[in-house]
Amino acid sequence: MQIKTKNIFQVQFIFVKVCLPTFAEDLKFMARKSFFIETYGCQMNFSDSEIVASVLKDNLYEFEPDLKKANLILLNTCSIRDHAEQRVINRLKHLKALKGKNRGLIVGLLGCMAERMKEELFEGGVVDLVAGPDSYRELPRLIESIKSGNRAFNIVLSAEETYADIKPVRINSNGISAFISIMRGCQNYCSYCVVPYTRGKERSRQPETIVAEAVDLFSRGFREITLLGQNVNSYYYNSVNFPKLMMMVAQINPALRVRFATSHPKDLSDELIQVIASRPNICKSIHLPLQSGSNAMLKLMNRRYTREYYLSRVEAIYKAIPDCGISTDIITGFCSETDADHCDTLSAMQLARFDYAFMFKYSERAGTAAADKLNDNVAEDIKTTRLNEIIAMQQQLSLESNQKDMGKLMEVLVEGTSKRSKKQLTGRTSQNKVVVFNDTTHRGGDYVVVRITDCTSATLKGEVEE
Ligand code: SAH
Ligand code: SF4
Ligand code: F3S
């Protein structure tokens, strides 16, 4: 009997000794409110993550850059192509293992996948929270409700939310460049695109709040801001249109560079081109997605412009701003695209002389007009061949554009030391081209005049002009 009691004691002692530290660690892990956030997709999503960080910080959550140490892991997701969603689904498999180890770990899915896939995301048992792009103010309340054993869900889209009063916490920034969201949503309904369904109706943010945010960033040492929206040319708030807003922001200080993304070709106005031409600190760089150079494809895509109209806008830009950088987005292999349509895209790229392009294979998205009414009938291997031809064409155009810069003096905003060498700095020109040059005297945020001496298709190289 005595021996038995002793054994029980021994067993209990061992139990306490083995389990106490892990239990205590679990408690410590759960008591600290820390979050990690990983962002997928477009610049708008990166900007949104900074709004999320602000909402959480106001509710006493600390930002934790190490995923393993956070007790709230948020993935801010993208649905634009199937590949973007697959990356997140694979990430969830990794988080499942982490969840097994950390009792109390909460996993939340935010952004466009949350909006598109809804409750389906709870399947698999990893996700506790699903919150769409207009519900980020609700996050603290949603997270609290999970702690009492529930799953939390809010995907209501708003016609008004712009998060205008929230001061983003710049977790994605290098301290020199920052994004400012000026509008949300899109109602252009390009037939292939999921964004109008995941982001809701277009709405613009009050201009005074945008200017105040830019003034604050400049006073904290930032030297470049990018005004963001799915279609910034549609910005409109109480008689302030996008060119007027650009002017208001550009007047803050000549040392603050202003960029914007993205503009739809159908409403790239002469007024906007004139504003860009008129202010040295408005960057000479326009991202103008072409999507296809074929009129038949543009019609099926519901882009509401023709190849001729697009190219006439490009000529208007070059006429007013001869040194303007123009970049684009191209989708290849859209429904029923023929070899002739593809050749039209290649020739339009040559005529527009793009400096840079983001190039994608068409990826059918459920619920869009193209998925409902058209046939995703270009074979995968043909999509691949056409994409490769488009990439090769763009590399050639980028190289030609960079070769034209040889010998020129360019003002570069320094972003930091180059990855290759601590003796080299890297930065961007007004045209958004990356420049690398030998220099140890300047720092991030400085403007340096560099003479271009060499180039590849991706980078300019140069020397500081004394
Ligand atoms: N609002 C921006 C684009 C946002 S999406 C604009 O209209 O300019 C970024 C790019 O993704 C698009 O320009 C398009 O080239 C690409 N894209 C959108 N939907 C796609 C799809 N279903 N398949 C492949 N690429 C797509
Ligand atoms: Fe999508 Fe077209 Fe809106 Fe761009 S403009 S987000 S491509 S629907
Ligand atoms: Fe992706 Fe949504 Fe942006 S679908 S591209 S994260 S608006």
Side-chain angles (χ1 to χ4, degrees):
M1 201 49 189
Q2 259 186 337
I3 293 165
K4 225 179 173 180
T5 313
K6 197 180 160 195
N7 277 347
I8 289 168
F9 259 104
Q10 268 181 346
V11 169
Q12 279 179 342
F13 177 70
I14 291 164
F15 176 80
V16 168
K17 202 174 155 196
V18 173
C19 295
L20 239 190
T22 51
F23 187 56
E25 247 147 51
D26 275 348
L27 279 180
K28 221 167 90 191
F29 176 78
M30 285 188 267
R32 189 173 154 249
K33 297 205 315 185
S34 62
F35 72 99
F36 169 90
I37 185 161
E38 191 163 84
T39 311
Y40 298 77
C42 62
Q43 293 166 326
M44 290 289 293
N45 238 22
F46 280 82
S47 166
D48 278 2
S49 290
E50 299 188 330
I51 288 165
V52 168
S54 172
V55 171
L56 292 177
K57 276 200 155 181
D58 283 350
N59 284 274
L60 308 178
Y61 283 81
E62 278 171 55
F63 173 60
E64 170 54 71
D66 182 354
L67 166 128
K68 293 199 186 92
K69 291 186 188 151
N71 51 17
L72 169 63
I73 296 179
L74 299 171
L75 305 184
N76 194 3
T77 62
C78 171
S79 287
I80 202 82
R81 286 168 288 277
D82 183 57
H83 177 70
E85 291 192 344
Q86 290 312 320
R87 282 176 63 208
V88 171
I89 293 184
N90 287 333
R91 193 64 164 144
L92 285 179
K93 289 182 193 148
H94 172 232
L95 294 184
K96 191 168 191 169
L98 208 61
K99 226 174 160 183
K101 283 189 216 147
N102 297 347
R103 255 186 286 174
L105 171 64
I106 292 175
V107 174
L109 279 202
L110 314 178
C112 293
M113 263 175 98
E115 200 60 51
R116 198 180 83 78
M117 294 174 73
K118 309 180 172 57
E119 281 106 331
E120 198 185 320
L121 292 166
F122 289 126
E123 288 166 18
V126 187
V127 176
D128 308 286
L129 160 74
V130 172
D134 287 343
S135 66
Y136 299 150
R137 285 180 201 272
E138 286 286 294
L139 281 174
R141 195 188 56 75
L142 293 168
I143 295 161
E144 282 310 311
S145 75
I146 297 167
K147 288 186 180 153
S148 36
N150 301 319
R151 279 168 169 175
F153 183 68
N154 185 344
I155 55 152
V156 177
L157 286 173
S158 154
E160 289 99 33
E161 181 62 273
T162 57
Y163 299 114
D165 56 319
I166 294 181
K167 192 173 166 188
V169 174
R170 302 288 168 185
I171 52 171
N172 291 322
S173 163
N174 55 4
I176 297 152
S177 305
F179 298 132
I180 302 184
S181 287
I182 61 161
M183 60 186 301
R184 298 180 73 79
C186 178
Q187 50 210 56
N188 282 324
Y189 290 98
C190 302
S191 64
Y192 50 81
C193 184
V194 80
V195 173
Y197 309 94
T198 61
R199 294 267 166 175
K201 287 221 155 61
E202 214 170 78
R203 63 223 102 120
S204 297
R205 176 177 162 187
Q206 206 186 355
E208 292 73 20
T209 67
I210 297 167
V211 173
E213 193 173 329
V215 167
D216 177 60
L217 285 164
F218 186 74
S219 72
R220 286 159 50 204
F222 285 82
R223 290 293 172 263
E224 183 177 86
I225 55 163
T226 305
L227 303 179
L228 288 183
Q230 288 301 347
N231 178 15
V232 285
N233 329 66
S234 301
Y235 176 90
Y236 195 81
Y237 195 103
N238 278 358
S239 79
V240 177
N241 65 6
F242 184 61
K244 290 201 176 68
L245 177 73
M246 283 283 281
M247 211 48 162
M248 286 162 77
V249 177
Q251 279 164 348
I252 292 172
N253 195 300
L256 179 67
R257 274 188 176 179
V258 187
R259 298 187 184 278
F260 63 97
T262 302
S263 38
H264 195 296
K266 77 176 162 55
D267 31 37
L268 181 89
S269 65
D270 288 336
E271 186 188 2
L272 179 60
I273 296 175
Q274 286 314 319
V275 165
I276 299 170
S278 72
R279 306 287 306 194
N281 62 328
I282 298 183
C283 289
K284 307 294 172 261
S285 161
I286 301 181
H287 187 65
L288 199 64
L290 167 67
Q291 313 300 2
S292 170
S294 145
N295 281 333
M297 289 299 104
L298 289 171
K299 195 152 202 283
L300 288 180
M301 288 174 166
N302 192 31
R303 287 292 284 179
R304 291 179 272 176
Y305 54 83
T306 60
R307 163 197 176 91
E308 293 71 26
Y309 177 79
Y310 182 96
L311 292 172
S312 73
R313 289 286 73 199
V314 165
E315 286 317 315
I317 296 170
Y318 285 139
K319 193 165 170 223
I321 317 163
D323 62 340
C324 194
I326 305 183
S327 57
T328 200
D329 293 348
I330 306 264
I331 299 177
T332 188
F334 188 60
C335 308
S336 74
E337 186 189 67
T338 61
D339 280 339
D341 294 320
H342 169 61
C343 289
D344 281 349
T345 298
L346 291 170
S347 69
M349 291 171 75
Q350 270 179 312
L351 289 168
R353 313 190 287 283
F354 294 125
D355 295 279
Y356 189 81
F358 296 94
M359 298 155 283
F360 314 102
K361 286 189 221 174
Y362 171 56
S363 166
E364 187 176 81
R365 310 314 289 139
T368 58
D372 290 346
K373 297 194 190 105
L374 304 174
N375 216 338
D376 180 14
N377 54 2
V378 176
E380 190 57 30
D381 59 335
I382 295 182
K383 283 185 185 173
T384 306
T385 310
R386 289 181 186 165
L387 181 66
N388 288 338
E389 286 175 18
I390 283 169
I391 292 172
M393 167 64 77
Q394 187 51 52
Q395 269 178 343
Q396 180 58 31
L397 293 173
S398 298
L399 183 64
E400 284 170 15
S401 161
N402 286 352
Q403 280 167 342
K404 280 199 198 130
D405 290 335
M406 299 275 279
K408 283 189 192 161
L409 291 177
M410 299 207 138
E411 186 185 59
V412 176
L413 174 60
V414 178
E415 289 174 3
T417 46
S418 96
K419 279 184 204 139
R420 292 230 177 109
S421 156
K422 284 201 176 117
K423 291 182 183 158
Q424 284 184 328
L425 294 176
T426 172
R428 277 168 204 272
T429 66
S430 172
Q431 291 75 12
N432 212 19
K433 290 186 179 181
V434 175
V435 184
V436 178
F437 54 100
N438 292 335
D439 187 355
T440 48
T441 56
H442 293 94
R443 294 187 303 147
D446 288 347
Y447 286 99
V448 182
V449 176
V450 175
R451 184 177 295 279
I452 305 305
T453 52
D454 197 3
C455 71
T456 64
S457 64
T459 319
L460 297 174
K461 292 172 191 163
E463 287 160 6
V464 179
E465 185 76 3
E466 301 300 342

